[in-house]
Amino acid sequence: MSAHDTKRQLINPPPSQAIYETLHFSQATRVGDQVWVSGQVGIDTATLTPADGVEAQTRLAFEGLKSALRGAGASLADIVELSTFHTDLRGDMEVFSRVKDEYLPELYPSWTAVGVS
């Protein structure tokens, strides 16, 4: 292990440990005071199935994000940038934004929303 690797902390809260072991990536990585969080999606980590609907999927994604940040000693208030991907950008925005605002405190982070097919 190099000296650089000793400064790297892999963050894999218990519900996501199976994902780390199966797919070989961490939910988050902390180096010094910075934390990089892997993409969080609206799936149930126990069954690996998507939640039903945009609102439920958004809640699961933010719960996963909150869990990964907590494992790194951070919180949702520490987020400085958020990137989201939507299969129905215009149709998802109202619901997604409402749920996002429940999770993210004021001093909102920078946010890029991308429509994908």
Side-chain angles (χ1 to χ4, degrees):
M1 182 178 288
S2 71
H4 174 72
D5 290 338
T6 61
K7 297 177 185 176
R8 184 185 315 189
Q9 178 187 4
L10 304 180
I11 310 297
N12 292 293
S16 65
Q17 189 63 37
I19 293 171
Y20 176 76
E21 292 170 1
T22 303
L23 301 176
H24 306 135
F25 73 91
S26 290
Q27 293 300 301
T29 303
R30 181 181 183 130
V31 179
D33 290 338
Q34 293 189 351
V35 178
W36 289 265
V37 180
S38 294
Q40 300 297 306
V41 295
I43 63 168
D44 181 317
T45 55
T47 64
L48 299 180
T49 57
D52 188 25
V54 173
E55 182 170 350
Q57 289 178 13
T58 302
R59 289 187 188 287
L60 282 177
F62 274 103
E63 287 297 323
L65 179 57
K66 184 167 65 172
S67 178
L69 288 169
R70 186 182 312 118
S75 74
L76 295 170
D78 295 312
I79 295 172
V80 296
E81 182 180 15
L82 183 69
S83 297
T84 59
F85 298 85
H86 307 265
T87 56
D88 183 3
L89 186 61
R90 291 192 175 110
D92 291 351
M93 280 303 99
E94 183 180 337
V95 172
F96 181 87
S97 291
R98 181 175 40 80
V99 175
K100 174 187 63 67
D101 288 349
E102 290 175 24
Y103 281 90
L104 297 179
E106 287 198 28
L107 297 178
Y108 304 112
S110 300
W111 176 30
T112 302
V114 179
V116 298
S117 57

